[in-house]
Short mmCIF file of all heavy atoms in Angstrom, two decimals:
data_model
loop_
_atom_site.label_atom_id
_atom_site.label_comp_id
_atom_site.label_asym_id
_atom_site.label_seq_id
_atom_site.Cartn_x
_atom_site.Cartn_y
_atom_site.Cartn_z
N MET A 462 -2.57 4.32 13.81
CA MET A 462 -1.25 4.85 13.49
C MET A 462 -1.39 6.38 13.40
O MET A 462 -2.23 6.88 12.67
CB MET A 462 -0.78 4.24 12.16
CG MET A 462 0.52 4.77 11.69
SD MET A 462 1.12 4.11 10.08
CE MET A 462 0.77 2.40 10.11
N ASP A 463 -0.54 7.09 14.12
CA ASP A 463 -0.62 8.55 14.06
C ASP A 463 0.10 9.07 12.80
O ASP A 463 0.73 8.32 12.07
CB ASP A 463 -0.08 9.19 15.34
CG ASP A 463 1.43 9.06 15.50
OD1 ASP A 463 2.15 8.82 14.51
OD2 ASP A 463 1.91 9.21 16.64
N GLU A 464 -0.05 10.36 12.56
CA GLU A 464 0.48 10.97 11.34
C GLU A 464 1.99 10.79 11.20
O GLU A 464 2.49 10.52 10.10
CB GLU A 464 0.12 12.45 11.31
CG GLU A 464 0.43 13.11 9.99
CD GLU A 464 -0.08 14.54 9.93
OE1 GLU A 464 -1.22 14.79 10.35
OE2 GLU A 464 0.68 15.40 9.47
N ASN A 465 2.74 10.94 12.30
CA ASN A 465 4.21 10.79 12.23
C ASN A 465 4.59 9.36 11.88
O ASN A 465 5.53 9.14 11.09
CB ASN A 465 4.85 11.19 13.56
CG ASN A 465 4.79 12.68 13.79
OD1 ASN A 465 4.79 13.47 12.84
ND2 ASN A 465 4.73 13.09 15.04
N LYS A 466 3.88 8.38 12.44
CA LYS A 466 4.19 6.98 12.13
C LYS A 466 3.83 6.67 10.68
O LYS A 466 4.56 5.94 9.99
CB LYS A 466 3.44 6.04 13.08
CG LYS A 466 4.03 6.04 14.48
CD LYS A 466 3.29 5.07 15.36
CE LYS A 466 3.86 5.13 16.78
NZ LYS A 466 3.16 4.23 17.68
N LEU A 467 2.72 7.21 10.19
CA LEU A 467 2.33 7.01 8.79
C LEU A 467 3.37 7.62 7.86
O LEU A 467 3.80 6.99 6.89
CB LEU A 467 0.95 7.61 8.52
CG LEU A 467 0.47 7.54 7.07
CD1 LEU A 467 0.39 6.10 6.58
CD2 LEU A 467 -0.88 8.24 6.94
N TYR A 468 3.80 8.83 8.16
CA TYR A 468 4.83 9.50 7.36
C TYR A 468 6.09 8.64 7.30
O TYR A 468 6.64 8.40 6.22
CB TYR A 468 5.15 10.88 7.95
CG TYR A 468 6.22 11.63 7.20
CD1 TYR A 468 5.89 12.51 6.18
CD2 TYR A 468 7.57 11.44 7.50
CE1 TYR A 468 6.87 13.20 5.48
CE2 TYR A 468 8.56 12.12 6.79
CZ TYR A 468 8.20 13.00 5.79
OH TYR A 468 9.17 13.66 5.09
N SER A 469 6.53 8.13 8.45
CA SER A 469 7.73 7.31 8.50
C SER A 469 7.55 6.01 7.73
O SER A 469 8.47 5.55 7.04
CB SER A 469 8.10 6.99 9.96
OG SER A 469 8.49 8.16 10.63
N ALA A 470 6.37 5.40 7.83
CA ALA A 470 6.11 4.15 7.11
C ALA A 470 6.14 4.37 5.60
O ALA A 470 6.69 3.55 4.85
CB ALA A 470 4.78 3.56 7.55
N ILE A 471 5.54 5.48 5.14
CA ILE A 471 5.55 5.79 3.71
C ILE A 471 6.97 6.09 3.25
O ILE A 471 7.42 5.61 2.20
CB ILE A 471 4.60 6.96 3.39
CG1 ILE A 471 3.16 6.52 3.60
CG2 ILE A 471 4.82 7.47 1.96
CD1 ILE A 471 2.14 7.64 3.50
N GLU A 472 7.69 6.87 4.03
CA GLU A 472 9.08 7.19 3.69
C GLU A 472 9.91 5.91 3.59
O GLU A 472 10.69 5.74 2.64
CB GLU A 472 9.66 8.13 4.75
CG GLU A 472 11.05 8.62 4.42
CD GLU A 472 11.54 9.63 5.45
OE1 GLU A 472 11.39 9.39 6.66
OE2 GLU A 472 12.09 10.65 5.02
N ASN A 473 9.73 4.99 4.52
CA ASN A 473 10.45 3.72 4.51
C ASN A 473 10.09 2.91 3.26
O ASN A 473 10.97 2.31 2.63
CB ASN A 473 10.13 2.93 5.78
CG ASN A 473 10.97 1.70 5.90
OD1 ASN A 473 12.18 1.74 5.70
ND2 ASN A 473 10.33 0.59 6.24
N ALA A 474 8.81 2.89 2.89
CA ALA A 474 8.38 2.17 1.70
C ALA A 474 9.04 2.74 0.44
O ALA A 474 9.48 1.99 -0.44
CB ALA A 474 6.85 2.21 1.57
N VAL A 475 9.12 4.07 0.35
CA VAL A 475 9.74 4.72 -0.80
C VAL A 475 11.23 4.39 -0.85
O VAL A 475 11.77 4.08 -1.92
CB VAL A 475 9.51 6.25 -0.77
CG1 VAL A 475 10.34 6.96 -1.83
CG2 VAL A 475 8.03 6.57 -0.94
N ILE A 476 11.90 4.44 0.28
CA ILE A 476 13.34 4.12 0.33
C ILE A 476 13.58 2.69 -0.11
O ILE A 476 14.45 2.41 -0.94
CB ILE A 476 13.91 4.39 1.73
CG1 ILE A 476 13.93 5.90 2.00
CG2 ILE A 476 15.30 3.78 1.88
CD1 ILE A 476 14.22 6.27 3.46
N LYS A 477 12.79 1.75 0.44
CA LYS A 477 12.96 0.34 0.06
C LYS A 477 12.67 0.14 -1.43
O LYS A 477 13.38 -0.61 -2.10
CB LYS A 477 12.05 -0.56 0.90
CG LYS A 477 12.51 -0.71 2.33
CD LYS A 477 11.80 -1.82 3.08
CE LYS A 477 10.31 -1.69 3.02
NZ LYS A 477 9.60 -2.65 3.88
N TRP A 478 11.64 0.81 -1.95
CA TRP A 478 11.28 0.70 -3.37
C TRP A 478 12.42 1.22 -4.25
O TRP A 478 12.77 0.61 -5.26
CB TRP A 478 10.00 1.49 -3.62
CG TRP A 478 9.52 1.45 -5.04
CD1 TRP A 478 8.80 0.46 -5.65
CD2 TRP A 478 9.71 2.46 -6.03
NE1 TRP A 478 8.53 0.80 -6.94
CE2 TRP A 478 9.08 2.03 -7.22
CE3 TRP A 478 10.36 3.71 -6.03
CZ2 TRP A 478 9.08 2.78 -8.38
CZ3 TRP A 478 10.36 4.45 -7.19
CH2 TRP A 478 9.72 3.99 -8.35
N THR A 479 13.02 2.34 -3.84
CA THR A 479 14.11 2.93 -4.61
C THR A 479 15.34 2.02 -4.63
O THR A 479 15.96 1.81 -5.67
CB THR A 479 14.51 4.30 -4.01
OG1 THR A 479 13.35 5.14 -4.00
CG2 THR A 479 15.61 4.96 -4.80
N ILE A 480 15.65 1.45 -3.49
CA ILE A 480 16.82 0.56 -3.39
C ILE A 480 16.58 -0.72 -4.17
O ILE A 480 17.48 -1.23 -4.84
CB ILE A 480 17.15 0.27 -1.91
CG1 ILE A 480 17.66 1.55 -1.25
CG2 ILE A 480 18.16 -0.86 -1.79
CD1 ILE A 480 17.80 1.45 0.26
N ASP A 481 15.36 -1.28 -4.10
CA ASP A 481 15.05 -2.54 -4.75
C ASP A 481 15.25 -2.45 -6.26
O ASP A 481 15.92 -3.29 -6.85
CB ASP A 481 13.61 -2.96 -4.42
CG ASP A 481 13.24 -4.29 -5.03
OD1 ASP A 481 13.03 -4.32 -6.26
OD2 ASP A 481 13.15 -5.28 -4.30
N GLY A 482 14.64 -1.47 -6.89
CA GLY A 482 14.84 -1.26 -8.32
C GLY A 482 14.10 -2.22 -9.24
O GLY A 482 14.22 -2.10 -10.45
N THR A 483 13.34 -3.17 -8.72
CA THR A 483 12.64 -4.13 -9.58
C THR A 483 11.13 -3.99 -9.53
O THR A 483 10.43 -4.54 -10.38
CB THR A 483 12.98 -5.58 -9.20
OG1 THR A 483 12.51 -5.85 -7.88
CG2 THR A 483 14.49 -5.83 -9.25
N LYS A 484 10.61 -3.29 -8.58
CA LYS A 484 9.16 -3.17 -8.42
C LYS A 484 8.62 -2.01 -9.27
O LYS A 484 9.32 -1.05 -9.56
CB LYS A 484 8.82 -2.93 -6.95
CG LYS A 484 9.33 -4.02 -6.02
CD LYS A 484 8.19 -4.70 -5.37
CE LYS A 484 8.50 -5.82 -4.43
NZ LYS A 484 9.76 -6.28 -4.15
N THR A 485 7.36 -2.14 -9.66
CA THR A 485 6.73 -1.10 -10.47
C THR A 485 6.27 0.06 -9.58
O THR A 485 6.15 -0.09 -8.36
CB THR A 485 5.50 -1.65 -11.21
OG1 THR A 485 4.51 -2.03 -10.23
CG2 THR A 485 5.86 -2.84 -12.08
N ALA A 486 6.00 1.19 -10.21
CA ALA A 486 5.44 2.32 -9.49
C ALA A 486 4.09 1.93 -8.90
O ALA A 486 3.71 2.38 -7.82
CB ALA A 486 5.29 3.53 -10.41
N GLY A 487 3.37 1.07 -9.61
CA GLY A 487 2.08 0.59 -9.11
C GLY A 487 2.21 -0.17 -7.80
O GLY A 487 1.37 -0.05 -6.91
N SER A 488 3.27 -0.96 -7.68
CA SER A 488 3.47 -1.71 -6.43
C SER A 488 3.73 -0.77 -5.26
O SER A 488 3.22 -0.99 -4.16
CB SER A 488 4.61 -2.74 -6.56
OG SER A 488 5.86 -2.10 -6.66
N LEU A 489 4.49 0.29 -5.51
CA LEU A 489 4.73 1.29 -4.47
C LEU A 489 3.43 2.00 -4.10
O LEU A 489 3.12 2.18 -2.93
CB LEU A 489 5.78 2.31 -4.91
CG LEU A 489 6.02 3.48 -3.96
CD1 LEU A 489 6.51 2.99 -2.59
CD2 LEU A 489 7.01 4.45 -4.57
N THR A 490 2.66 2.38 -5.11
CA THR A 490 1.39 3.05 -4.86
C THR A 490 0.46 2.18 -4.04
O THR A 490 -0.17 2.64 -3.08
CB THR A 490 0.72 3.44 -6.19
OG1 THR A 490 1.61 4.27 -6.92
CG2 THR A 490 -0.60 4.16 -5.96
N ARG A 491 0.35 0.89 -4.39
CA ARG A 491 -0.51 -0.02 -3.63
C ARG A 491 -0.03 -0.16 -2.19
O ARG A 491 -0.84 -0.22 -1.27
CB ARG A 491 -0.59 -1.39 -4.32
CG ARG A 491 -1.43 -1.34 -5.59
CD ARG A 491 -1.63 -2.72 -6.19
NE ARG A 491 -0.39 -3.39 -6.57
CZ ARG A 491 0.28 -3.16 -7.69
NH1 ARG A 491 -0.16 -2.28 -8.56
NH2 ARG A 491 1.39 -3.84 -7.96
N GLU A 492 1.28 -0.22 -1.98
CA GLU A 492 1.81 -0.31 -0.62
C GLU A 492 1.46 0.94 0.18
O GLU A 492 1.04 0.86 1.34
CB GLU A 492 3.32 -0.53 -0.63
CG GLU A 492 3.87 -0.75 0.74
CD GLU A 492 5.33 -1.17 0.77
OE1 GLU A 492 5.92 -1.46 -0.29
OE2 GLU A 492 5.90 -1.20 1.87
N ILE A 493 1.62 2.11 -0.43
CA ILE A 493 1.29 3.36 0.26
C ILE A 493 -0.20 3.42 0.57
O ILE A 493 -0.60 3.78 1.68
CB ILE A 493 1.74 4.58 -0.58
CG1 ILE A 493 3.27 4.66 -0.60
CG2 ILE A 493 1.13 5.87 -0.02
CD1 ILE A 493 3.83 5.66 -1.59
N MET A 494 -1.04 3.04 -0.39
CA MET A 494 -2.49 3.04 -0.16
C MET A 494 -2.85 2.08 0.98
O MET A 494 -3.73 2.38 1.79
CB MET A 494 -3.24 2.66 -1.44
CG MET A 494 -3.11 3.70 -2.54
SD MET A 494 -3.71 5.34 -2.08
CE MET A 494 -5.46 5.02 -1.95
N SER A 495 -2.17 0.95 1.05
CA SER A 495 -2.41 0.00 2.14
C SER A 495 -2.03 0.61 3.48
O SER A 495 -2.76 0.47 4.48
CB SER A 495 -1.60 -1.27 1.89
OG SER A 495 -1.73 -2.16 2.97
N LEU A 496 -0.90 1.32 3.53
CA LEU A 496 -0.48 1.98 4.77
C LEU A 496 -1.50 3.04 5.19
O LEU A 496 -1.84 3.15 6.37
CB LEU A 496 0.90 2.62 4.59
CG LEU A 496 2.07 1.66 4.45
CD1 LEU A 496 3.32 2.41 3.98
CD2 LEU A 496 2.33 0.95 5.76
N VAL A 497 -1.99 3.81 4.22
CA VAL A 497 -2.98 4.84 4.52
C VAL A 497 -4.26 4.19 5.04
O VAL A 497 -4.84 4.64 6.04
CB VAL A 497 -3.27 5.71 3.27
CG1 VAL A 497 -4.47 6.61 3.49
CG2 VAL A 497 -2.03 6.54 2.92
N GLU A 498 -4.70 3.12 4.39
CA GLU A 498 -5.91 2.42 4.82
C GLU A 498 -5.76 1.89 6.25
O GLU A 498 -6.65 2.01 7.06
CB GLU A 498 -6.23 1.27 3.85
CG GLU A 498 -7.51 0.56 4.14
CD GLU A 498 -8.75 1.41 3.93
OE1 GLU A 498 -8.73 2.35 3.13
OE2 GLU A 498 -9.76 1.12 4.60
N LYS A 499 -4.58 1.32 6.54
CA LYS A 499 -4.33 0.79 7.89
C LYS A 499 -4.27 1.90 8.94
O LYS A 499 -4.49 1.65 10.11
CB LYS A 499 -3.02 -0.01 7.91
CG LYS A 499 -3.11 -1.31 7.18
CD LYS A 499 -1.77 -2.00 7.15
CE LYS A 499 -1.80 -3.24 6.31
NZ LYS A 499 -0.47 -3.86 6.20
N SER A 500 -3.96 3.12 8.51
CA SER A 500 -3.84 4.22 9.47
C SER A 500 -5.20 4.78 9.87
O SER A 500 -5.30 5.50 10.85
CB SER A 500 -2.98 5.34 8.89
OG SER A 500 -3.67 6.06 7.91
N LYS A 501 -6.25 4.44 9.10
CA LYS A 501 -7.59 4.94 9.42
C LYS A 501 -8.14 4.20 10.63
O LYS A 501 -7.77 3.05 10.88
CB LYS A 501 -8.52 4.72 8.23
CG LYS A 501 -8.16 5.54 7.02
CD LYS A 501 -9.10 5.24 5.89
CE LYS A 501 -8.73 6.02 4.65
NZ LYS A 501 -9.63 5.66 3.55
N PRO A 502 -9.04 4.83 11.35
CA PRO A 502 -9.67 4.14 12.49
C PRO A 502 -10.35 2.85 12.04
O PRO A 502 -10.90 2.78 10.94
CB PRO A 502 -10.71 5.14 12.99
CG PRO A 502 -10.24 6.46 12.49
CD PRO A 502 -9.51 6.18 11.19
N ALA A 503 -10.31 1.83 12.87
CA ALA A 503 -10.83 0.51 12.53
C ALA A 503 -12.30 0.54 12.13
O ALA A 503 -12.75 -0.30 11.36
CB ALA A 503 -10.62 -0.44 13.69
N VAL A 504 -13.06 1.49 12.61
CA VAL A 504 -14.49 1.58 12.31
C VAL A 504 -14.74 1.70 10.82
O VAL A 504 -15.71 1.19 10.30
CB VAL A 504 -15.10 2.81 13.02
CG1 VAL A 504 -16.60 2.85 12.84
CG2 VAL A 504 -14.71 2.85 14.48
N HIS A 505 -13.83 2.35 10.10
CA HIS A 505 -14.04 2.61 8.68
C HIS A 505 -13.59 1.47 7.78
O HIS A 505 -13.93 1.47 6.61
CB HIS A 505 -13.29 3.89 8.27
CG HIS A 505 -13.78 5.10 8.98
ND1 HIS A 505 -14.99 5.68 8.69
CD2 HIS A 505 -13.25 5.82 9.99
CE1 HIS A 505 -15.18 6.72 9.48
NE2 HIS A 505 -14.13 6.83 10.27
N HIS A 506 -12.86 0.50 8.30
CA HIS A 506 -12.31 -0.54 7.44
C HIS A 506 -13.37 -1.36 6.72
O HIS A 506 -13.21 -1.66 5.55
CB HIS A 506 -11.40 -1.47 8.24
CG HIS A 506 -10.07 -0.88 8.50
ND1 HIS A 506 -9.10 -0.76 7.54
CD2 HIS A 506 -9.52 -0.36 9.62
CE1 HIS A 506 -8.04 -0.19 8.05
NE2 HIS A 506 -8.27 0.07 9.31
N HIS A 507 -14.44 -1.73 7.37
CA HIS A 507 -15.39 -2.62 6.72
C HIS A 507 -16.42 -1.88 5.87
O HIS A 507 -17.11 -2.50 5.08
CB HIS A 507 -16.07 -3.52 7.75
CG HIS A 507 -16.92 -2.78 8.74
ND1 HIS A 507 -16.40 -2.10 9.81
CD2 HIS A 507 -18.26 -2.60 8.80
CE1 HIS A 507 -17.37 -1.54 10.49
NE2 HIS A 507 -18.51 -1.83 9.92
N HIS A 508 -16.51 -0.57 5.98
CA HIS A 508 -17.51 0.16 5.21
C HIS A 508 -16.96 0.76 3.92
O HIS A 508 -17.70 0.91 2.96
CB HIS A 508 -18.10 1.30 6.05
CG HIS A 508 -18.94 0.81 7.19
ND1 HIS A 508 -20.11 0.13 6.99
CD2 HIS A 508 -18.76 0.87 8.52
CE1 HIS A 508 -20.62 -0.19 8.16
NE2 HIS A 508 -19.82 0.25 9.11
N HIS A 509 -15.71 1.11 3.89
CA HIS A 509 -15.17 1.84 2.74
C HIS A 509 -13.95 1.16 2.15
O HIS A 509 -13.05 1.84 1.68
CB HIS A 509 -14.82 3.28 3.16
CG HIS A 509 -15.99 4.06 3.63
ND1 HIS A 509 -16.35 4.13 4.95
CD2 HIS A 509 -16.90 4.78 2.95
CE1 HIS A 509 -17.42 4.87 5.07
NE2 HIS A 509 -17.78 5.28 3.87
N HIS A 510 -13.92 -0.16 2.14
CA HIS A 510 -12.76 -0.85 1.58
C HIS A 510 -12.79 -0.75 0.06
O HIS A 510 -13.75 -1.14 -0.58
CB HIS A 510 -12.75 -2.32 2.01
CG HIS A 510 -11.56 -3.06 1.50
ND1 HIS A 510 -10.29 -2.78 1.95
CD2 HIS A 510 -11.44 -4.03 0.59
CE1 HIS A 510 -9.44 -3.57 1.32
NE2 HIS A 510 -10.12 -4.34 0.49
N VAL A 511 -11.72 -0.19 -0.50
CA VAL A 511 -11.61 -0.05 -1.94
C VAL A 511 -10.42 -0.86 -2.39
O VAL A 511 -9.32 -0.73 -1.86
CB VAL A 511 -11.40 1.44 -2.32
CG1 VAL A 511 -11.18 1.57 -3.81
CG2 VAL A 511 -12.56 2.28 -1.86
N LYS A 512 -10.64 -1.72 -3.37
CA LYS A 512 -9.53 -2.50 -3.91
C LYS A 512 -8.91 -1.70 -5.06
O LYS A 512 -9.62 -1.21 -5.94
CB LYS A 512 -10.00 -3.85 -4.39
CG LYS A 512 -10.34 -4.78 -3.26
CD LYS A 512 -10.33 -6.19 -3.72
CE LYS A 512 -10.44 -7.08 -2.51
NZ LYS A 512 -9.98 -8.40 -2.76
N ILE A 513 -7.62 -1.61 -5.05
CA ILE A 513 -6.88 -0.90 -6.08
C ILE A 513 -6.48 -1.92 -7.14
O ILE A 513 -5.95 -2.97 -6.82
CB ILE A 513 -5.60 -0.27 -5.49
CG1 ILE A 513 -5.91 0.51 -4.25
CG2 ILE A 513 -4.84 0.49 -6.55
CD1 ILE A 513 -6.17 1.95 -4.41
N LYS A 514 -6.73 -1.60 -8.41
CA LYS A 514 -6.33 -2.51 -9.48
C LYS A 514 -5.01 -2.03 -10.08
O LYS A 514 -4.79 -0.85 -10.27
CB LYS A 514 -7.40 -2.55 -10.57
CG LYS A 514 -8.65 -3.26 -10.13
CD LYS A 514 -9.59 -3.47 -11.29
CE LYS A 514 -10.81 -4.23 -10.80
NZ LYS A 514 -11.72 -4.54 -11.89
N ASP A 515 -4.15 -3.01 -10.38
CA ASP A 515 -2.89 -2.65 -11.00
C ASP A 515 -3.08 -2.64 -12.52
O ASP A 515 -4.19 -2.81 -13.03
CB ASP A 515 -1.77 -3.60 -10.57
CG ASP A 515 -2.00 -5.04 -11.02
OD1 ASP A 515 -2.82 -5.30 -11.92
OD2 ASP A 515 -1.34 -5.91 -10.46
N GLU A 516 -1.98 -2.45 -13.25
CA GLU A 516 -2.07 -2.32 -14.70
C GLU A 516 -2.53 -3.58 -15.41
O GLU A 516 -2.91 -3.56 -16.57
CB GLU A 516 -0.74 -1.81 -15.28
CG GLU A 516 0.46 -2.67 -14.93
CD GLU A 516 1.18 -2.23 -13.65
OE1 GLU A 516 0.54 -1.84 -12.67
OE2 GLU A 516 2.42 -2.31 -13.64
N TRP A 517 -2.52 -4.73 -14.71
CA TRP A 517 -2.99 -5.99 -15.28
C TRP A 517 -4.40 -6.35 -14.81
O TRP A 517 -4.91 -7.41 -15.12
CB TRP A 517 -2.02 -7.13 -14.92
CG TRP A 517 -0.65 -6.87 -15.45
CD1 TRP A 517 -0.21 -7.05 -16.73
CD2 TRP A 517 0.45 -6.35 -14.73
NE1 TRP A 517 1.10 -6.68 -16.84
CE2 TRP A 517 1.54 -6.24 -15.62
CE3 TRP A 517 0.64 -5.95 -13.41
CZ2 TRP A 517 2.78 -5.75 -15.23
CZ3 TRP A 517 1.88 -5.48 -13.03
CH2 TRP A 517 2.93 -5.38 -13.94
N GLY A 518 -5.03 -5.48 -14.05
CA GLY A 518 -6.37 -5.73 -13.57
C GLY A 518 -6.44 -6.52 -12.29
O GLY A 518 -7.51 -6.88 -11.82
N ASN A 519 -5.28 -6.83 -11.68
CA ASN A 519 -5.26 -7.54 -10.41
C ASN A 519 -5.68 -6.59 -9.29
O ASN A 519 -5.32 -5.42 -9.31
CB ASN A 519 -3.86 -8.10 -10.12
CG ASN A 519 -3.43 -9.09 -11.17
OD1 ASN A 519 -4.17 -9.97 -11.55
ND2 ASN A 519 -2.20 -8.94 -11.65
N THR A 520 -6.41 -7.11 -8.32
CA THR A 520 -6.89 -6.26 -7.25
C THR A 520 -6.09 -6.40 -5.97
O THR A 520 -6.42 -5.82 -4.96
CB THR A 520 -8.37 -6.58 -6.93
OG1 THR A 520 -8.48 -7.96 -6.62
CG2 THR A 520 -9.26 -6.22 -8.10
N ASP A 521 -5.04 -7.18 -6.00
CA ASP A 521 -4.27 -7.42 -4.79
C ASP A 521 -2.83 -7.69 -5.20
O ASP A 521 -2.59 -8.44 -6.13
CB ASP A 521 -4.84 -8.63 -4.06
CG ASP A 521 -4.25 -8.81 -2.67
OD1 ASP A 521 -3.17 -8.30 -2.39
OD2 ASP A 521 -4.89 -9.49 -1.89
N TRP A 522 -1.86 -7.10 -4.51
CA TRP A 522 -0.46 -7.31 -4.86
C TRP A 522 -0.07 -8.79 -4.82
O TRP A 522 0.81 -9.23 -5.52
CB TRP A 522 0.48 -6.48 -3.99
CG TRP A 522 0.40 -6.74 -2.51
CD1 TRP A 522 -0.35 -6.06 -1.60
CD2 TRP A 522 1.06 -7.77 -1.77
NE1 TRP A 522 -0.20 -6.57 -0.35
CE2 TRP A 522 0.67 -7.64 -0.41
CE3 TRP A 522 1.94 -8.78 -2.10
CZ2 TRP A 522 1.13 -8.47 0.57
CZ3 TRP A 522 2.41 -9.61 -1.10
CH2 TRP A 522 2.00 -9.45 0.21
N ARG A 523 -0.79 -9.60 -4.02
CA ARG A 523 -0.45 -11.02 -3.98
C ARG A 523 -0.76 -11.69 -5.31
O ARG A 523 -0.17 -12.69 -5.65
CB ARG A 523 -1.21 -11.71 -2.84
CG ARG A 523 -0.68 -11.29 -1.48
CD ARG A 523 -1.51 -11.88 -0.39
NE ARG A 523 -2.82 -11.23 -0.38
CZ ARG A 523 -3.37 -10.66 0.65
NH1 ARG A 523 -2.78 -10.68 1.81
NH2 ARG A 523 -4.54 -10.08 0.55
N ASP A 524 -1.71 -11.13 -6.10
CA ASP A 524 -2.03 -11.69 -7.42
C ASP A 524 -0.90 -11.52 -8.41
O ASP A 524 -0.83 -12.23 -9.39
CB ASP A 524 -3.28 -11.02 -7.99
CG ASP A 524 -4.53 -11.27 -7.17
OD1 ASP A 524 -4.56 -12.22 -6.39
OD2 ASP A 524 -5.46 -10.48 -7.33
N THR A 525 -0.03 -10.55 -8.19
CA THR A 525 1.02 -10.23 -9.15
C THR A 525 2.31 -10.98 -8.87
O THR A 525 3.22 -10.97 -9.68
CB THR A 525 1.34 -8.73 -9.13
OG1 THR A 525 1.93 -8.39 -7.87
CG2 THR A 525 0.12 -7.88 -9.40
N GLY A 526 2.42 -11.61 -7.70
CA GLY A 526 3.65 -12.28 -7.33
C GLY A 526 4.68 -11.33 -6.77
O GLY A 526 5.79 -11.72 -6.45
N GLU A 527 4.35 -10.05 -6.67
CA GLU A 527 5.27 -9.08 -6.10
C GLU A 527 5.32 -9.22 -4.60
O GLU A 527 4.44 -9.80 -3.99
CB GLU A 527 4.84 -7.67 -6.47
CG GLU A 527 4.91 -7.38 -7.94
CD GLU A 527 4.38 -6.01 -8.29
OE1 GLU A 527 4.09 -5.22 -7.40
OE2 GLU A 527 4.26 -5.76 -9.49
N MET A 528 6.34 -8.65 -4.02
CA MET A 528 6.52 -8.63 -2.58
C MET A 528 6.49 -10.03 -1.96
O MET A 528 6.00 -10.25 -0.89
CB MET A 528 5.45 -7.73 -1.91
CG MET A 528 5.52 -6.30 -2.38
SD MET A 528 4.27 -5.25 -1.66
CE MET A 528 4.95 -5.03 -0.02
N GLY A 529 7.01 -11.00 -2.73
CA GLY A 529 7.13 -12.35 -2.20
C GLY A 529 5.82 -13.09 -2.10
O GLY A 529 5.73 -14.09 -1.42
N GLY A 530 4.77 -12.63 -2.80
CA GLY A 530 3.46 -13.23 -2.67
C GLY A 530 3.21 -14.45 -3.45
O GLY A 530 3.87 -15.10 -4.10
#
């Protein structure tokens, strides 16, 4: 994903988060971090994968039930 596509994807995530009104700031942050991670070259995915923990200690948004998980 090039820089313009990443910018647009992040902007879209922020707009959807603002309109939704029910998600935490942490959920938005995790979504943005996921977009950034996906934008990196595939070579780096398996060497530097970092799991982000939310305020409850969950390492994946699917653990929280957010985003339809």
Side-chain angles (χ1 to χ4, degrees):
M462 177 182 318
D463 70 20
E464 189 174 316
N465 289 331
K466 287 182 182 178
L467 176 59
Y468 179 92
S469 293
I471 291 172
E472 186 176 45
N473 187 46
V475 171
I476 291 169
K477 287 192 306 187
W478 180 82
T479 303
I480 291 170
D481 182 286
T483 64
K484 302 243 179 359
T485 65
S488 69
L489 174 60
T490 302
R491 287 186 300 279
E492 185 172 351
I493 291 170
M494 293 301 292
S495 175
L496 290 168
V497 169
E498 184 67 26
K499 289 176 186 176
S500 74
K501 293 178 182 178
V504 185
H505 298 287
H506 283 286
H507 65 282
H508 291 295
H509 298 92
H510 182 68
V511 176
K512 288 200 170 201
I513 310 266
K514 289 189 178 183
D515 64 17
E516 56 269 39
W517 299 281
N519 298 314
T520 56
D521 190 339
W522 60 265
R523 290 175 290 234
D524 297 340
T525 66
E527 295 176 8
M528 299 179 76

